[in-house]
Amino acid sequence: MAVSIDLSGKTALVTGAGAGIGREIARWLARAGAEVAVNDIREAHADAVVNEILEEGGSAISAVADCRDDAAIDEMVNRVVASFGGLDIAVNNIGMIPEGRGLKPFTEYRGDDWRDIIDQNLTLSALCGRAEAEVMASGGGGVILFVTSGETTRPSPFNAAYAAAKAGINHLVTSMAVELGPAGIRVLAIAPGTTLTETVA
């Protein structure tokens, strides 16, 4: 059964959209008719996805930002609103296992490992969600979607810090949904399993 989704007239921001799952989410939102802001820390990657969307007849802009900088998150969201006139859909796909931090026995995770992984997954997702919710609340509502992980649904040996950070996002989502619902903001999460992205390959 085919499902047709029409997002014409809607605006969307996808973080971590320069490759992998984020890239495909951005492309499919554009195919459904949304104007899409493509965020990535790597300008060349964001520009490449924007060009793919434009070549397919969609509408997109680059929203390069290093979301490890709190101010950069606010600047990114404000830039998207200024470009599109508002923000209807936000997909927080941002998150990673920093190089050298993942896939090790639990007893080998040190403080810096935990802080870096929690920060680049749970904390950055929360800060993006805050900035997005702020503009959506003033604009009449919207949808905020977080990409978590299938690692939150099963034991995750040698990957405990990443799985714990993503599990934290799941609880963040339910808390935000209850708090922001009265403002017309729906908050959701998807938890994909292992996906053959460029990094996984």
Side-chain angles (χ1 to χ4, degrees):
M1 179 174 114
V3 177
S4 178
I5 299 174
D6 184 4
L7 297 179
S8 299
K10 300 294 185 181
T11 63
L13 165 65
V14 184
T15 65
I21 292 173
R23 170 179 175 264
E24 292 308 307
I25 290 173
R27 293 176 70 195
W28 280 99
L29 284 170
R31 289 167 183 163
E35 295 182 295
V36 180
V38 177
N39 162 259
D40 203 272
I41 191 174
R42 303 159 298 184
E43 184 174 4
H45 284 68
D47 288 346
V49 176
V50 168
N51 288 334
E52 288 176 345
I53 291 171
L54 297 177
E55 289 170 1
E56 293 179 345
S59 176
I61 63 169
S62 176
V64 176
D66 182 350
C67 292
R68 294 171 296 184
D69 179 347
D70 294 5
I73 293 173
D74 288 314
E75 292 171 5
M76 171 185 68
V77 172
N78 290 335
R79 189 163 69 249
V80 172
V81 172
S83 298
F84 289 156
L87 180 62
D88 301 301
I89 303 162
V91 181
N92 292 309
N93 175 66
I94 195 167
M96 63 202 79
I97 301 176
E99 186 174 351
R101 299 291 193 202
L103 298 179
K104 63 178 71 176
F106 175 76
T107 54
E108 292 183 11
Y109 279 100
R110 302 306 182 205
D112 286 348
D113 296 320
W114 278 99
R115 281 184 281 271
D116 206 4
I117 292 170
I118 295 295
D119 190 53
Q120 294 199 42
N121 290 277
L122 174 57
T123 305
L124 296 193
S125 293
L127 292 174
C128 287
R130 181 209 57 78
E132 295 150 1
E134 188 173 36
V135 299
M136 287 181 181
S138 63
V143 178
I144 301 176
L145 175 69
F146 291 86
V147 179
T148 67
S149 171
E151 297 301 320
T152 66
T153 65
R154 58 181 177 264
S156 188
F158 304 101
N159 206 14
Y162 176 79
K166 291 296 189 179
I169 296 174
N170 290 349
H171 189 78
L172 171 70
V173 165
T174 59
S175 299
M176 288 177 62
V178 172
E179 184 174 344
L180 299 175
I185 301 172
R186 291 188 293 129
V187 187
L188 311 163
I190 58 172
T194 302
T195 304
L196 190 59
T197 63
E198 295 89 335
T199 300
V200 173

